[in-house]
PDB file of all heavy atoms in Angstrom:
ATOM      1  N   PHE A 104       7.652   9.476 -15.169  1.00  0.00           N
ATOM      2  CA  PHE A 104       6.879   9.503 -16.423  1.00  0.00           C
ATOM      3  C   PHE A 104       7.745  10.226 -17.440  1.00  0.00           C
ATOM      4  O   PHE A 104       8.700  10.841 -17.148  1.00  0.00           O
ATOM      5  CB  PHE A 104       5.569  10.197 -16.218  1.00  0.00           C
ATOM      6  CG  PHE A 104       4.541   9.499 -15.329  1.00  0.00           C
ATOM      7  CD1 PHE A 104       4.700   9.551 -13.922  1.00  0.00           C
ATOM      8  CD2 PHE A 104       3.529   8.849 -15.842  1.00  0.00           C
ATOM      9  CE1 PHE A 104       3.765   8.871 -13.125  1.00  0.00           C
ATOM     10  CE2 PHE A 104       2.632   8.176 -15.007  1.00  0.00           C
ATOM     11  CZ  PHE A 104       2.698   8.173 -13.713  1.00  0.00           C
ATOM     12  N   ARG A 105       7.268  10.046 -18.662  1.00  0.00           N
ATOM     13  CA  ARG A 105       7.960  10.744 -19.738  1.00  0.00           C
ATOM     14  C   ARG A 105       6.954  11.320 -20.770  1.00  0.00           C
ATOM     15  O   ARG A 105       5.917  10.684 -20.895  1.00  0.00           O
ATOM     16  CB  ARG A 105       9.064   9.922 -20.387  1.00  0.00           C
ATOM     17  CG  ARG A 105       8.519   8.728 -21.170  1.00  0.00           C
ATOM     18  CD  ARG A 105       9.745   7.828 -21.607  1.00  0.00           C
ATOM     19  NE  ARG A 105       9.292   6.702 -22.355  1.00  0.00           N
ATOM     20  CZ  ARG A 105      10.058   5.776 -22.841  1.00  0.00           C
ATOM     21  NH1 ARG A 105      11.371   5.810 -22.510  1.00  0.00           N
ATOM     22  NH2 ARG A 105       9.548   4.707 -23.584  1.00  0.00           N
ATOM     23  N   GLN A 106       7.324  12.324 -21.541  1.00  0.00           N
ATOM     24  CA  GLN A 106       6.495  12.847 -22.564  1.00  0.00           C
ATOM     25  C   GLN A 106       7.330  13.266 -23.763  1.00  0.00           C
ATOM     26  O   GLN A 106       8.232  14.130 -23.624  1.00  0.00           O
ATOM     27  CB  GLN A 106       5.667  14.032 -22.001  1.00  0.00           C
ATOM     28  CG  GLN A 106       4.611  14.542 -22.966  1.00  0.00           C
ATOM     29  CD  GLN A 106       3.581  15.408 -22.274  1.00  0.00           C
ATOM     30  OE1 GLN A 106       3.821  15.986 -21.224  1.00  0.00           O
ATOM     31  NE2 GLN A 106       2.481  15.580 -22.939  1.00  0.00           N
ATOM     32  N   ALA A 107       7.111  12.638 -24.875  1.00  0.00           N
ATOM     33  CA  ALA A 107       7.731  12.978 -26.055  1.00  0.00           C
ATOM     34  C   ALA A 107       6.896  14.032 -26.861  1.00  0.00           C
ATOM     35  O   ALA A 107       5.726  14.107 -26.627  1.00  0.00           O
ATOM     36  CB  ALA A 107       7.967  11.777 -26.940  1.00  0.00           C
ATOM     37  N   PRO A 108       7.507  14.790 -27.701  1.00  0.00           N
ATOM     38  CA  PRO A 108       6.761  15.838 -28.451  1.00  0.00           C
ATOM     39  C   PRO A 108       5.606  15.234 -29.225  1.00  0.00           C
ATOM     40  O   PRO A 108       5.714  14.266 -29.897  1.00  0.00           O
ATOM     41  CB  PRO A 108       7.842  16.394 -29.431  1.00  0.00           C
ATOM     42  CG  PRO A 108       9.086  16.100 -28.763  1.00  0.00           C
ATOM     43  CD  PRO A 108       8.980  14.788 -28.044  1.00  0.00           C
ATOM     44  N   GLY A 109       4.421  15.865 -29.006  1.00  0.00           N
ATOM     45  CA  GLY A 109       3.206  15.407 -29.669  1.00  0.00           C
ATOM     46  C   GLY A 109       2.598  14.154 -29.115  1.00  0.00           C
ATOM     47  O   GLY A 109       1.640  13.660 -29.664  1.00  0.00           O
ATOM     48  N   LYS A 110       3.087  13.656 -27.985  1.00  0.00           N
ATOM     49  CA  LYS A 110       2.511  12.524 -27.392  1.00  0.00           C
ATOM     50  C   LYS A 110       2.089  12.805 -25.961  1.00  0.00           C
ATOM     51  O   LYS A 110       2.510  13.717 -25.367  1.00  0.00           O
ATOM     52  CB  LYS A 110       3.594  11.340 -27.331  1.00  0.00           C
ATOM     53  CG  LYS A 110       3.970  10.851 -28.741  1.00  0.00           C
ATOM     54  CD  LYS A 110       4.891   9.619 -28.725  1.00  0.00           C
ATOM     55  CE  LYS A 110       5.278   9.077 -30.041  1.00  0.00           C
ATOM     56  NZ  LYS A 110       6.070   7.893 -29.967  1.00  0.00           N
ATOM     57  N   GLU A 111       1.228  11.893 -25.456  1.00  0.00           N
ATOM     58  CA  GLU A 111       0.776  12.018 -24.108  1.00  0.00           C
ATOM     59  C   GLU A 111       1.854  11.600 -23.099  1.00  0.00           C
ATOM     60  O   GLU A 111       2.757  10.780 -23.441  1.00  0.00           O
ATOM     61  CB  GLU A 111      -0.484  11.174 -23.906  1.00  0.00           C
ATOM     62  CG  GLU A 111      -1.753  11.728 -24.617  1.00  0.00           C
ATOM     63  CD  GLU A 111      -2.981  11.044 -24.227  1.00  0.00           C
ATOM     64  OE1 GLU A 111      -2.876  10.009 -23.461  1.00  0.00           O
ATOM     65  OE2 GLU A 111      -4.027  11.392 -24.714  1.00  0.00           O
ATOM     66  N   ARG A 112       1.728  12.014 -21.907  1.00  0.00           N
ATOM     67  CA  ARG A 112       2.667  11.629 -20.878  1.00  0.00           C
ATOM     68  C   ARG A 112       2.409  10.176 -20.557  1.00  0.00           C
ATOM     69  O   ARG A 112       1.294   9.719 -20.390  1.00  0.00           O
ATOM     70  CB  ARG A 112       2.396  12.470 -19.630  1.00  0.00           C
ATOM     71  CG  ARG A 112       3.501  12.354 -18.528  1.00  0.00           C
ATOM     72  CD  ARG A 112       3.349  13.404 -17.396  1.00  0.00           C
ATOM     73  NE  ARG A 112       3.594  14.772 -18.003  1.00  0.00           N
ATOM     74  CZ  ARG A 112       3.699  15.846 -17.301  1.00  0.00           C
ATOM     75  NH1 ARG A 112       3.643  15.791 -15.886  1.00  0.00           N
ATOM     76  NH2 ARG A 112       3.856  17.084 -17.849  1.00  0.00           N
ATOM     77  N   GLU A 113       3.578   9.410 -20.520  1.00  0.00           N
ATOM     78  CA  GLU A 113       3.371   7.982 -20.280  1.00  0.00           C
ATOM     79  C   GLU A 113       4.217   7.538 -19.063  1.00  0.00           C
ATOM     80  O   GLU A 113       5.227   8.101 -18.809  1.00  0.00           O
ATOM     81  CB  GLU A 113       3.845   7.283 -21.575  1.00  0.00           C
ATOM     82  CG  GLU A 113       5.271   7.396 -21.896  1.00  0.00           C
ATOM     83  CD  GLU A 113       5.725   6.408 -22.946  1.00  0.00           C
ATOM     84  OE1 GLU A 113       4.923   5.642 -23.428  1.00  0.00           O
ATOM     85  OE2 GLU A 113       6.921   6.454 -23.328  1.00  0.00           O
ATOM     86  N   PHE A 114       3.688   6.501 -18.461  1.00  0.00           N
ATOM     87  CA  PHE A 114       4.309   5.862 -17.299  1.00  0.00           C
ATOM     88  C   PHE A 114       5.663   5.196 -17.712  1.00  0.00           C
ATOM     89  O   PHE A 114       5.788   4.528 -18.837  1.00  0.00           O
ATOM     90  CB  PHE A 114       3.377   4.840 -16.716  1.00  0.00           C
ATOM     91  CG  PHE A 114       3.984   3.926 -15.699  1.00  0.00           C
ATOM     92  CD1 PHE A 114       4.352   4.462 -14.407  1.00  0.00           C
ATOM     93  CD2 PHE A 114       4.246   2.634 -16.021  1.00  0.00           C
ATOM     94  CE1 PHE A 114       4.907   3.499 -13.534  1.00  0.00           C
ATOM     95  CE2 PHE A 114       4.875   1.777 -15.115  1.00  0.00           C
ATOM     96  CZ  PHE A 114       5.186   2.261 -13.877  1.00  0.00           C
ATOM     97  N   VAL A 115       6.662   5.331 -16.914  1.00  0.00           N
ATOM     98  CA  VAL A 115       7.898   4.690 -17.117  1.00  0.00           C
ATOM     99  C   VAL A 115       8.285   3.657 -15.972  1.00  0.00           C
ATOM    100  O   VAL A 115       8.496   2.531 -16.234  1.00  0.00           O
ATOM    101  CB  VAL A 115       9.118   5.661 -17.172  1.00  0.00           C
ATOM    102  CG1 VAL A 115      10.422   4.990 -17.247  1.00  0.00           C
ATOM    103  CG2 VAL A 115       8.894   6.698 -18.325  1.00  0.00           C
ATOM    104  N   ALA A 116       8.239   4.184 -14.680  1.00  0.00           N
ATOM    105  CA  ALA A 116       8.559   3.225 -13.591  1.00  0.00           C
ATOM    106  C   ALA A 116       8.006   3.868 -12.297  1.00  0.00           C
ATOM    107  O   ALA A 116       7.880   5.046 -12.187  1.00  0.00           O
ATOM    108  CB  ALA A 116      10.132   3.116 -13.530  1.00  0.00           C
ATOM    109  N   THR A 117       7.813   3.012 -11.377  1.00  0.00           N
ATOM    110  CA  THR A 117       7.371   3.437 -10.077  1.00  0.00           C
ATOM    111  C   THR A 117       7.924   2.527  -8.967  1.00  0.00           C
ATOM    112  O   THR A 117       8.256   1.359  -9.224  1.00  0.00           O
ATOM    113  CB  THR A 117       5.834   3.439  -9.953  1.00  0.00           C
ATOM    114  OG1 THR A 117       5.399   4.061  -8.742  1.00  0.00           O
ATOM    115  CG2 THR A 117       5.229   2.024 -10.062  1.00  0.00           C
ATOM    116  N   ILE A 118       8.001   3.121  -7.785  1.00  0.00           N
ATOM    117  CA  ILE A 118       8.568   2.352  -6.618  1.00  0.00           C
ATOM    118  C   ILE A 118       7.738   2.703  -5.459  1.00  0.00           C
ATOM    119  O   ILE A 118       7.326   3.907  -5.226  1.00  0.00           O
ATOM    120  CB  ILE A 118      10.038   2.764  -6.419  1.00  0.00           C
ATOM    121  CG1 ILE A 118      10.661   1.891  -5.278  1.00  0.00           C
ATOM    122  CG2 ILE A 118      10.260   4.267  -6.131  1.00  0.00           C
ATOM    123  CD1 ILE A 118      12.192   1.996  -5.191  1.00  0.00           C
ATOM    124  N   SER A 119       7.386   1.720  -4.677  1.00  0.00           N
ATOM    125  CA  SER A 119       6.470   1.945  -3.464  1.00  0.00           C
ATOM    126  C   SER A 119       7.300   2.779  -2.419  1.00  0.00           C
ATOM    127  O   SER A 119       8.542   2.883  -2.487  1.00  0.00           O
ATOM    128  CB  SER A 119       6.078   0.607  -2.882  1.00  0.00           C
ATOM    129  OG  SER A 119       7.255  -0.111  -2.464  1.00  0.00           O
ATOM    130  N   TRP A 120       6.533   3.226  -1.402  1.00  0.00           N
ATOM    131  CA  TRP A 120       7.102   3.987  -0.363  1.00  0.00           C
ATOM    132  C   TRP A 120       8.238   3.275   0.334  1.00  0.00           C
ATOM    133  O   TRP A 120       9.257   3.908   0.776  1.00  0.00           O
ATOM    134  CB  TRP A 120       6.089   4.480   0.593  1.00  0.00           C
ATOM    135  CG  TRP A 120       5.450   3.371   1.370  1.00  0.00           C
ATOM    136  CD1 TRP A 120       4.329   2.695   1.042  1.00  0.00           C
ATOM    137  CD2 TRP A 120       5.811   2.962   2.694  1.00  0.00           C
ATOM    138  NE1 TRP A 120       4.036   1.753   2.031  1.00  0.00           N
ATOM    139  CE2 TRP A 120       4.983   1.881   2.975  1.00  0.00           C
ATOM    140  CE3 TRP A 120       6.897   3.260   3.513  1.00  0.00           C
ATOM    141  CZ2 TRP A 120       5.066   1.192   4.248  1.00  0.00           C
ATOM    142  CZ3 TRP A 120       6.958   2.620   4.762  1.00  0.00           C
ATOM    143  CH2 TRP A 120       6.130   1.604   5.088  1.00  0.00           C
ATOM    144  N   SER A 121       8.071   1.989   0.441  1.00  0.00           N
ATOM    145  CA  SER A 121       9.090   1.183   1.192  1.00  0.00           C
ATOM    146  C   SER A 121      10.256   0.808   0.269  1.00  0.00           C
ATOM    147  O   SER A 121      11.305   0.314   0.845  1.00  0.00           O
ATOM    148  CB  SER A 121       8.406   0.011   1.809  1.00  0.00           C
ATOM    149  OG  SER A 121       7.992  -0.940   0.758  1.00  0.00           O
ATOM    150  N   GLY A 122      10.051   0.887  -0.972  1.00  0.00           N
ATOM    151  CA  GLY A 122      11.098   0.466  -1.940  1.00  0.00           C
ATOM    152  C   GLY A 122      10.918  -1.037  -2.263  1.00  0.00           C
ATOM    153  O   GLY A 122      11.682  -1.582  -3.096  1.00  0.00           O
ATOM    154  N   GLY A 123       9.970  -1.638  -1.638  1.00  0.00           N
ATOM    155  CA  GLY A 123       9.831  -3.098  -1.835  1.00  0.00           C
ATOM    156  C   GLY A 123       9.160  -3.573  -3.145  1.00  0.00           C
ATOM    157  O   GLY A 123       9.227  -4.731  -3.500  1.00  0.00           O
ATOM    158  N   ARG A 124       8.432  -2.623  -3.742  1.00  0.00           N
ATOM    159  CA  ARG A 124       7.742  -2.920  -5.019  1.00  0.00           C
ATOM    160  C   ARG A 124       8.112  -1.940  -6.078  1.00  0.00           C
ATOM    161  O   ARG A 124       8.164  -0.708  -5.882  1.00  0.00           O
ATOM    162  CB  ARG A 124       6.233  -2.837  -4.816  1.00  0.00           C
ATOM    163  CG  ARG A 124       5.596  -3.875  -3.879  1.00  0.00           C
ATOM    164  CD  ARG A 124       4.141  -3.675  -3.695  1.00  0.00           C
ATOM    165  NE  ARG A 124       3.547  -4.471  -2.713  1.00  0.00           N
ATOM    166  CZ  ARG A 124       2.783  -5.520  -2.989  1.00  0.00           C
ATOM    167  NH1 ARG A 124       2.446  -5.762  -4.174  1.00  0.00           N
ATOM    168  NH2 ARG A 124       2.256  -6.225  -1.974  1.00  0.00           N
ATOM    169  N   THR A 125       8.385  -2.474  -7.179  1.00  0.00           N
ATOM    170  CA  THR A 125       8.755  -1.681  -8.386  1.00  0.00           C
ATOM    171  C   THR A 125       8.037  -2.208  -9.565  1.00  0.00           C
ATOM    172  O   THR A 125       7.868  -3.418  -9.699  1.00  0.00           O
ATOM    173  CB  THR A 125      10.279  -1.683  -8.701  1.00  0.00           C
ATOM    174  OG1 THR A 125      10.719  -3.000  -8.878  1.00  0.00           O
ATOM    175  CG2 THR A 125      11.072  -1.046  -7.596  1.00  0.00           C
ATOM    176  N   TYR A 126       7.635  -1.253 -10.442  1.00  0.00           N
ATOM    177  CA  TYR A 126       6.912  -1.673 -11.619  1.00  0.00           C
ATOM    178  C   TYR A 126       7.443  -0.889 -12.787  1.00  0.00           C
ATOM    179  O   TYR A 126       7.828   0.303 -12.636  1.00  0.00           O
ATOM    180  CB  TYR A 126       5.405  -1.412 -11.525  1.00  0.00           C
ATOM    181  CG  TYR A 126       4.772  -2.141 -10.430  1.00  0.00           C
ATOM    182  CD1 TYR A 126       4.612  -1.673  -9.109  1.00  0.00           C
ATOM    183  CD2 TYR A 126       4.333  -3.434 -10.493  1.00  0.00           C
ATOM    184  CE1 TYR A 126       4.103  -2.367  -8.085  1.00  0.00           C
ATOM    185  CE2 TYR A 126       3.787  -4.300  -9.583  1.00  0.00           C
ATOM    186  CZ  TYR A 126       3.652  -3.622  -8.334  1.00  0.00           C
ATOM    187  OH  TYR A 126       3.130  -4.375  -7.269  1.00  0.00           O
ATOM    188  N   TYR A 127       7.503  -1.468 -13.945  1.00  0.00           N
ATOM    189  CA  TYR A 127       7.983  -0.808 -15.161  1.00  0.00           C
ATOM    190  C   TYR A 127       7.081  -0.895 -16.346  1.00  0.00           C
ATOM    191  O   TYR A 127       6.351  -1.888 -16.485  1.00  0.00           O
ATOM    192  CB  TYR A 127       9.367  -1.432 -15.554  1.00  0.00           C
ATOM    193  CG  TYR A 127      10.412  -1.277 -14.415  1.00  0.00           C
ATOM    194  CD1 TYR A 127      10.607  -2.241 -13.466  1.00  0.00           C
ATOM    195  CD2 TYR A 127      11.215  -0.127 -14.431  1.00  0.00           C
ATOM    196  CE1 TYR A 127      11.556  -2.124 -12.489  1.00  0.00           C
ATOM    197  CE2 TYR A 127      12.195   0.013 -13.451  1.00  0.00           C
ATOM    198  CZ  TYR A 127      12.359  -0.952 -12.412  1.00  0.00           C
ATOM    199  OH  TYR A 127      13.295  -0.841 -11.465  1.00  0.00           O
ATOM    200  N   ALA A 128       7.170   0.078 -17.203  1.00  0.00           N
ATOM    201  CA  ALA A 128       6.474   0.003 -18.466  1.00  0.00           C
ATOM    202  C   ALA A 128       7.215  -1.089 -19.300  1.00  0.00           C
ATOM    203  O   ALA A 128       8.396  -1.354 -19.167  1.00  0.00           O
ATOM    204  CB  ALA A 128       6.564   1.280 -19.305  1.00  0.00           C
ATOM    205  N   ASP A 129       6.455  -1.849 -20.157  1.00  0.00           N
ATOM    206  CA  ASP A 129       7.067  -2.888 -20.861  1.00  0.00           C
ATOM    207  C   ASP A 129       8.208  -2.416 -21.783  1.00  0.00           C
ATOM    208  O   ASP A 129       9.183  -3.052 -22.006  1.00  0.00           O
ATOM    209  CB  ASP A 129       5.979  -3.567 -21.801  1.00  0.00           C
ATOM    210  CG  ASP A 129       4.979  -4.384 -20.975  1.00  0.00           C
ATOM    211  OD1 ASP A 129       5.277  -4.725 -19.801  1.00  0.00           O
ATOM    212  OD2 ASP A 129       3.925  -4.723 -21.484  1.00  0.00           O
ATOM    213  N   SER A 130       8.098  -1.183 -22.259  1.00  0.00           N
ATOM    214  CA  SER A 130       9.090  -0.654 -23.173  1.00  0.00           C
ATOM    215  C   SER A 130      10.413  -0.392 -22.494  1.00  0.00           C
ATOM    216  O   SER A 130      11.456  -0.275 -23.182  1.00  0.00           O
ATOM    217  CB  SER A 130       8.541   0.742 -23.778  1.00  0.00           C
ATOM    218  OG  SER A 130       8.265   1.584 -22.719  1.00  0.00           O
ATOM    219  N   VAL A 131      10.476  -0.371 -21.147  1.00  0.00           N
ATOM    220  CA  VAL A 131      11.781  -0.063 -20.504  1.00  0.00           C
ATOM    221  C   VAL A 131      12.207  -1.216 -19.588  1.00  0.00           C
ATOM    222  O   VAL A 131      13.310  -1.193 -19.017  1.00  0.00           O
ATOM    223  CB  VAL A 131      11.708   1.202 -19.676  1.00  0.00           C
ATOM    224  CG1 VAL A 131      11.276   2.402 -20.537  1.00  0.00           C
ATOM    225  CG2 VAL A 131      10.862   1.094 -18.449  1.00  0.00           C
ATOM    226  N   LYS A 132      11.309  -2.208 -19.475  1.00  0.00           N
ATOM    227  CA  LYS A 132      11.637  -3.328 -18.602  1.00  0.00           C
ATOM    228  C   LYS A 132      12.994  -4.027 -18.992  1.00  0.00           C
ATOM    229  O   LYS A 132      13.211  -4.273 -20.142  1.00  0.00           O
ATOM    230  CB  LYS A 132      10.510  -4.361 -18.641  1.00  0.00           C
ATOM    231  CG  LYS A 132      10.391  -5.234 -17.379  1.00  0.00           C
ATOM    232  CD  LYS A 132       9.040  -6.053 -17.511  1.00  0.00           C
ATOM    233  CE  LYS A 132       7.882  -5.127 -17.322  1.00  0.00           C
ATOM    234  NZ  LYS A 132       6.631  -5.935 -17.310  1.00  0.00           N
ATOM    235  N   GLY A 133      13.843  -4.232 -17.993  1.00  0.00           N
ATOM    236  CA  GLY A 133      15.158  -4.852 -18.326  1.00  0.00           C
ATOM    237  C   GLY A 133      16.241  -3.885 -18.671  1.00  0.00           C
ATOM    238  O   GLY A 133      17.412  -4.229 -18.714  1.00  0.00           O
ATOM    239  N   ARG A 134      15.849  -2.564 -18.900  1.00  0.00           N
ATOM    240  CA  ARG A 134      16.834  -1.576 -19.284  1.00  0.00           C
ATOM    241  C   ARG A 134      16.915  -0.493 -18.231  1.00  0.00           C
ATOM    242  O   ARG A 134      18.033   0.079 -18.019  1.00  0.00           O
ATOM    243  CB  ARG A 134      16.462  -0.976 -20.655  1.00  0.00           C
ATOM    244  CG  ARG A 134      16.477  -1.960 -21.819  1.00  0.00           C
ATOM    245  CD  ARG A 134      16.246  -1.238 -23.124  1.00  0.00           C
ATOM    246  NE  ARG A 134      14.957  -0.517 -23.153  1.00  0.00           N
ATOM    247  CZ  ARG A 134      14.945   0.793 -23.427  1.00  0.00           C
ATOM    248  NH1 ARG A 134      16.018   1.521 -23.599  1.00  0.00           N
ATOM    249  NH2 ARG A 134      13.779   1.438 -23.470  1.00  0.00           N
ATOM    250  N   PHE A 135      15.742  -0.241 -17.638  1.00  0.00           N
ATOM    251  CA  PHE A 135      15.783   0.903 -16.619  1.00  0.00           C
ATOM    252  C   PHE A 135      15.564   0.313 -15.256  1.00  0.00           C
ATOM    253  O   PHE A 135      14.895  -0.749 -15.064  1.00  0.00           O
ATOM    254  CB  PHE A 135      14.494   1.795 -16.956  1.00  0.00           C
ATOM    255  CG  PHE A 135      14.667   2.662 -18.111  1.00  0.00           C
ATOM    256  CD1 PHE A 135      15.620   2.438 -19.106  1.00  0.00           C
ATOM    257  CD2 PHE A 135      13.782   3.724 -18.308  1.00  0.00           C
ATOM    258  CE1 PHE A 135      15.723   3.204 -20.207  1.00  0.00           C
ATOM    259  CE2 PHE A 135      13.852   4.568 -19.487  1.00  0.00           C
ATOM    260  CZ  PHE A 135      14.835   4.258 -20.400  1.00  0.00           C
ATOM    261  N   ALA A 136      16.131   1.015 -14.244  1.00  0.00           N
ATOM    262  CA  ALA A 136      15.929   0.581 -12.876  1.00  0.00           C
ATOM    263  C   ALA A 136      15.586   1.800 -11.993  1.00  0.00           C
ATOM    264  O   ALA A 136      16.347   2.798 -12.046  1.00  0.00           O
ATOM    265  CB  ALA A 136      17.138  -0.095 -12.416  1.00  0.00           C
ATOM    266  N   ILE A 137      14.549   1.758 -11.285  1.00  0.00           N
ATOM    267  CA  ILE A 137      14.145   2.833 -10.304  1.00  0.00           C
ATOM    268  C   ILE A 137      14.637   2.406  -8.921  1.00  0.00           C
ATOM    269  O   ILE A 137      14.537   1.281  -8.520  1.00  0.00           O
ATOM    270  CB  ILE A 137      12.658   3.080 -10.373  1.00  0.00           C
ATOM    271  CG1 ILE A 137      12.282   4.372  -9.563  1.00  0.00           C
ATOM    272  CG2 ILE A 137      11.796   1.862  -9.936  1.00  0.00           C
ATOM    273  CD1 ILE A 137      10.822   4.811  -9.731  1.00  0.00           C
ATOM    274  N   SER A 138      15.098   3.341  -8.112  1.00  0.00           N
ATOM    275  CA  SER A 138      15.530   3.125  -6.764  1.00  0.00           C
ATOM    276  C   SER A 138      15.255   4.418  -5.960  1.00  0.00           C
ATOM    277  O   SER A 138      14.989   5.453  -6.542  1.00  0.00           O
ATOM    278  CB  SER A 138      16.949   2.731  -6.756  1.00  0.00           C
ATOM    279  OG  SER A 138      17.839   3.747  -7.289  1.00  0.00           O
ATOM    280  N   ARG A 139      15.389   4.273  -4.666  1.00  0.00           N
ATOM    281  CA  ARG A 139      15.256   5.401  -3.823  1.00  0.00           C
ATOM    282  C   ARG A 139      16.114   5.316  -2.604  1.00  0.00           C
ATOM    283  O   ARG A 139      16.452   4.275  -2.149  1.00  0.00           O
ATOM    284  CB  ARG A 139      13.721   5.532  -3.454  1.00  0.00           C
ATOM    285  CG  ARG A 139      13.222   4.407  -2.452  1.00  0.00           C
ATOM    286  CD  ARG A 139      11.725   4.479  -2.243  1.00  0.00           C
ATOM    287  NE  ARG A 139      11.353   5.741  -1.692  1.00  0.00           N
ATOM    288  CZ  ARG A 139      10.134   6.319  -1.818  1.00  0.00           C
ATOM    289  NH1 ARG A 139       9.198   5.669  -2.503  1.00  0.00           N
ATOM    290  NH2 ARG A 139       9.814   7.537  -1.241  1.00  0.00           N
ATOM    291  N   ASP A 140      16.431   6.525  -2.131  1.00  0.00           N
ATOM    292  CA  ASP A 140      17.242   6.689  -0.928  1.00  0.00           C
ATOM    293  C   ASP A 140      16.437   7.597  -0.011  1.00  0.00           C
ATOM    294  O   ASP A 140      16.472   8.800  -0.131  1.00  0.00           O
ATOM    295  CB  ASP A 140      18.594   7.260  -1.184  1.00  0.00           C
ATOM    296  CG  ASP A 140      19.493   7.264  -0.067  1.00  0.00           C
ATOM    297  OD1 ASP A 140      18.998   7.307   1.079  1.00  0.00           O
ATOM    298  OD2 ASP A 140      20.760   7.362  -0.205  1.00  0.00           O
ATOM    299  N   ASN A 141      15.684   6.990   0.899  1.00  0.00           N
ATOM    300  CA  ASN A 141      14.828   7.805   1.699  1.00  0.00           C
ATOM    301  C   ASN A 141      15.571   8.747   2.659  1.00  0.00           C
ATOM    302  O   ASN A 141      15.082   9.782   3.051  1.00  0.00           O
ATOM    303  CB  ASN A 141      13.878   6.906   2.500  1.00  0.00           C
ATOM    304  CG  ASN A 141      12.735   6.461   1.624  1.00  0.00           C
ATOM    305  OD1 ASN A 141      12.432   6.928   0.549  1.00  0.00           O
ATOM    306  ND2 ASN A 141      12.066   5.325   2.098  1.00  0.00           N
ATOM    307  N   ALA A 142      16.831   8.340   2.981  1.00  0.00           N
ATOM    308  CA  ALA A 142      17.645   9.191   3.878  1.00  0.00           C
ATOM    309  C   ALA A 142      17.981  10.509   3.143  1.00  0.00           C
ATOM    310  O   ALA A 142      18.195  11.543   3.792  1.00  0.00           O
ATOM    311  CB  ALA A 142      18.849   8.503   4.340  1.00  0.00           C
ATOM    312  N   LYS A 143      18.104  10.413   1.859  1.00  0.00           N
ATOM    313  CA  LYS A 143      18.459  11.567   0.997  1.00  0.00           C
ATOM    314  C   LYS A 143      17.206  12.267   0.385  1.00  0.00           C
ATOM    315  O   LYS A 143      17.361  13.179  -0.312  1.00  0.00           O
ATOM    316  CB  LYS A 143      19.459  11.181  -0.053  1.00  0.00           C
ATOM    317  CG  LYS A 143      20.793  10.767   0.529  1.00  0.00           C
ATOM    318  CD  LYS A 143      21.814  10.542  -0.608  1.00  0.00           C
ATOM    319  CE  LYS A 143      23.145  10.092  -0.083  1.00  0.00           C
ATOM    320  NZ  LYS A 143      24.127   9.826  -1.212  1.00  0.00           N
ATOM    321  N   ASN A 144      16.048  11.591   0.635  1.00  0.00           N
ATOM    322  CA  ASN A 144      14.815  12.128   0.045  1.00  0.00           C
ATOM    323  C   ASN A 144      14.942  12.234  -1.477  1.00  0.00           C
ATOM    324  O   ASN A 144      14.525  13.186  -2.093  1.00  0.00           O
ATOM    325  CB  ASN A 144      14.493  13.520   0.636  1.00  0.00           C
ATOM    326  CG  ASN A 144      13.064  13.584   1.072  1.00  0.00           C
ATOM    327  OD1 ASN A 144      12.357  12.620   1.284  1.00  0.00           O
ATOM    328  ND2 ASN A 144      12.522  14.878   1.098  1.00  0.00           N
ATOM    329  N   THR A 145      15.510  11.203  -2.093  1.00  0.00           N
ATOM    330  CA  THR A 145      15.874  11.216  -3.514  1.00  0.00           C
ATOM    331  C   THR A 145      15.448   9.915  -4.137  1.00  0.00           C
ATOM    332  O   THR A 145      15.593   8.810  -3.524  1.00  0.00           O
ATOM    333  CB  THR A 145      17.311  11.460  -3.674  1.00  0.00           C
ATOM    334  OG1 THR A 145      17.684  12.755  -3.085  1.00  0.00           O
ATOM    335  CG2 THR A 145      17.733  11.536  -5.139  1.00  0.00           C
ATOM    336  N   VAL A 146      15.022  10.048  -5.420  1.00  0.00           N
ATOM    337  CA  VAL A 146      14.687   8.885  -6.213  1.00  0.00           C
ATOM    338  C   VAL A 146      15.589   8.934  -7.411  1.00  0.00           C
ATOM    339  O   VAL A 146      15.855  10.038  -8.009  1.00  0.00           O
ATOM    340  CB  VAL A 146      13.201   8.952  -6.563  1.00  0.00           C
ATOM    341  CG1 VAL A 146      12.823   7.747  -7.510  1.00  0.00           C
ATOM    342  CG2 VAL A 146      12.320   8.816  -5.359  1.00  0.00           C
TER     343      VAL A 146
END
């Protein structure tokens, strides 16, 4: 998520626990990519 000054926190991207599903805010679609490495416990 992200929050700009004076604005509410907004959704950016999410990834399912398996990594098989990802969703993006329209404003970042095509520019941002979410991924995860469960072995490293890192997103």
Side-chain angles (χ1 to χ4, degrees):
F104 289 80
R105 67 186 181 186
Q106 189 165 18
K110 295 187 177 181
E111 292 190 354
R112 192 166 298 190
E113 66 171 357
F114 166 74
V115 176
T117 186
I118 186 167
S119 62
W120 66 271
S121 67
R124 295 175 187 251
T125 57
Y126 300 93
Y127 297 91
D129 287 343
S130 59
V131 306
K132 203 171 293 183
R134 300 188 297 123
F135 291 12
I137 188 171
S138 61
R139 66 188 301 158
D140 185 338
N141 284 342
K143 295 183 177 179
N144 228 22
T145 300
V146 177

